[in-house]
Amino acid sequence: SVGHSPSGCIDSSEKKKLCACFPLTRSVAVFFFSFSGGLCQKTLTRPAMPVISQDTPARLIEIEGLAPPEDEEEEEEEAEEDGEGDSPAKLERVKALFPEDAAVGDLVEPGDYRHGHGYFVGADGEPVANPDLSGSAYLSIPAEITRHFHDPLQKFAELPWLSLELVHDSPWLVRRLGGTPPATHKYVIWREGEDEDFEDGTLSVVEDVRKDGPSFALNEVTLQHIEARLKSLQEPQQQIRVAVRFDGKEQMERFQLARLPPALTAANSVWACESGGGAGGSDFTATTLILKGPQKDADNVIKTLKEHFAYASQLQIQSEPDNH
């Protein structure tokens, strides 16, 4: 039963009891029937949810106390390595340190070592840890945060991020690609560095943000390029390893101007290339390139590579099915 005041409305002591029983997330008008037969209203106040602002840039807020205490740090690191993530106790400790004016998307961190201990303010006011896709304490902005903004690139323009994940139907991504990409994949923009222009970065299309997948130059990619590459991955794949050496200034400069044949670097190419290592000095450069693409095109690609690197001092090409 609920007690009542002489006026028929709930008194302050009963209000406290109800607040404890019914946790609310914002100010709510609550109606009660009084024992005197009337209807009264009381407004129970609770902290409002954090603001989602489309126009105000996300802030980096440095605050003491976010880094784990020394006696807890090792235990927390072990839990993270085991895939357990942050403990509820840790998340509560972090949340308690959020400033009252923190808005969704703001980054709160201790500022001790890069951004390894940083947390975003989530839409429900809960902390969202920096997922650090680089594995080196750089800042990664997850889709859990970017999904709330029409233009995440503008929203997070003032944060020093290295990677930024977008949901497949992000308005920004749909506009940039000219259509909505497949919902089966995740889309991550990578910058060359924290202070570099994202327009010069790459767009990775992956099934898991912590695994490799096709990458495209962001300033060239279209929806058609992505669809063609994903379709090609359904076919048998071939790996081509190219070991090439350049001697002298002329060969070295020529390689720097065109590291691969234009047909393989074009945005519509379904072949991916990654570095396999290299060495060099003042008068030579040696490098290994690893290309992966449809098996049916392998012979033509090898022919193109031989023609492109005909000027090199040494050239070795190995080709084998890619079963990974």
Side-chain angles (χ1 to χ4, degrees):
S1 62
V2 178
H4 62 284
S5 67
S7 65
C9 288
I10 299 173
D11 61 29
S12 60
S13 62
E14 294 300 330
K15 177 180 175 180
K16 291 179 181 178
K17 293 179 183 178
L18 283 168
C19 287
C21 295
F22 302 100
L24 303 173
T25 56
R26 47 176 60 87
S27 296
V28 179
V30 184
F31 294 87
F32 299 95
F33 285 101
S34 70
F35 286 101
S36 60
L39 181 68
C40 65
Q41 173 184 333
K42 283 291 184 179
T43 300
L44 308 187
T45 303
R46 278 289 182 268
M49 297 293 245
V51 174
I52 298 180
S53 171
Q54 297 291 337
D55 302 320
T56 305
R59 300 174 298 166
L60 191 160
I61 305 169
E62 292 190 1
I63 192 167
E64 295 182 1
L66 278 181
E70 292 184 5
D71 59 341
E72 297 180 17
E73 185 169 11
E74 185 175 346
E75 181 179 338
E76 291 183 359
E77 289 178 352
E78 290 177 354
E80 290 171 2
E81 290 175 0
D82 292 338
E84 298 176 6
D86 293 325
S87 66
K90 179 180 180 180
L91 292 176
E92 284 300 319
R93 173 170 59 81
V94 170
K95 183 179 179 181
L97 295 171
F98 280 179
E100 289 186 4
D101 64 343
V104 176
D106 283 349
L107 175 67
V108 181
E109 61 176 29
D112 53 352
Y113 175 65
R114 293 181 183 166
H115 311 286
H117 293 130
Y119 287 83
F120 294 96
V121 178
D124 56 359
E126 298 298 318
V128 177
N130 165 23
D132 182 21
L133 302 185
S134 71
S136 300
Y138 286 104
L139 182 61
S140 297
I141 307 179
E144 184 177 352
I145 296 299
T146 64
R147 69 184 304 127
H148 300 290
F149 304 100
H150 301 307
D151 188 343
L153 280 300
Q154 178 182 348
K155 177 68 180 182
F156 299 101
E158 297 182 10
L159 295 189
W161 57 270
L162 190 65
S163 62
L164 182 149
E165 182 189 353
L166 298 169
V167 291
H168 81 284
D169 55 355
S170 162
W172 186 94
L173 186 63
V174 173
R175 288 196 306 271
R176 172 56 68 98
L177 297 178
T180 304
T184 53
H185 287 69
K186 302 178 186 298
Y187 302 85
V188 183
I189 296 174
W190 287 87
R191 298 202 289 196
E192 293 296 324
E194 293 178 312
D195 301 321
E196 300 296 326
D197 187 348
F198 73 84
E199 290 286 1
D200 297 325
T202 59
L203 176 68
S204 291
V205 181
V206 295
E207 295 183 57
D208 184 325
V209 293
R210 297 194 180 277
K211 295 183 178 180
D212 293 333
S215 292
F216 306 83
L218 185 61
N219 57 12
E220 297 179 354
V221 65
T222 67
L223 177 59
Q224 289 71 29
H225 298 153
I226 292 175
E227 291 176 336
R229 179 75 66 84
L230 294 181
K231 182 179 179 180
S232 75
L233 291 175
Q234 305 305 312
E235 306 172 9
Q237 299 290 292
Q238 191 80 358
Q239 176 178 285
I240 300 174
R241 181 179 291 266
V242 182
V244 61
R245 177 186 171 108
F246 308 95
D247 288 301
K249 181 179 179 180
E250 182 179 345
Q251 288 189 10
M252 293 168 66
E253 289 181 348
R254 188 170 175 179
F255 174 60
Q256 292 301 323
L257 289 173
R259 300 177 68 88
L260 280 172
L264 295 177
T265 58
N268 62 354
S269 172
V270 293
W271 281 78
C273 180
E274 61 186 52
S275 174
S282 60
D283 59 353
F284 85 97
T285 296
T287 188
T288 298
L289 304 172
I290 301 174
L291 292 88
K292 297 180 181 180
Q295 203 170 82
K296 65 182 182 181
D297 300 333
D299 290 342
N300 287 334
V301 170
I302 291 174
K303 180 182 177 181
T304 301
L305 289 167
K306 288 180 177 179
E307 293 174 351
H308 180 76
F309 291 125
Y311 67 92
S313 298
Q314 297 178 18
L315 175 63
Q316 293 182 331
I317 298 179
Q318 296 178 320
S319 180
E320 62 183 10
D322 180 27
N323 299 317
H324 300 293

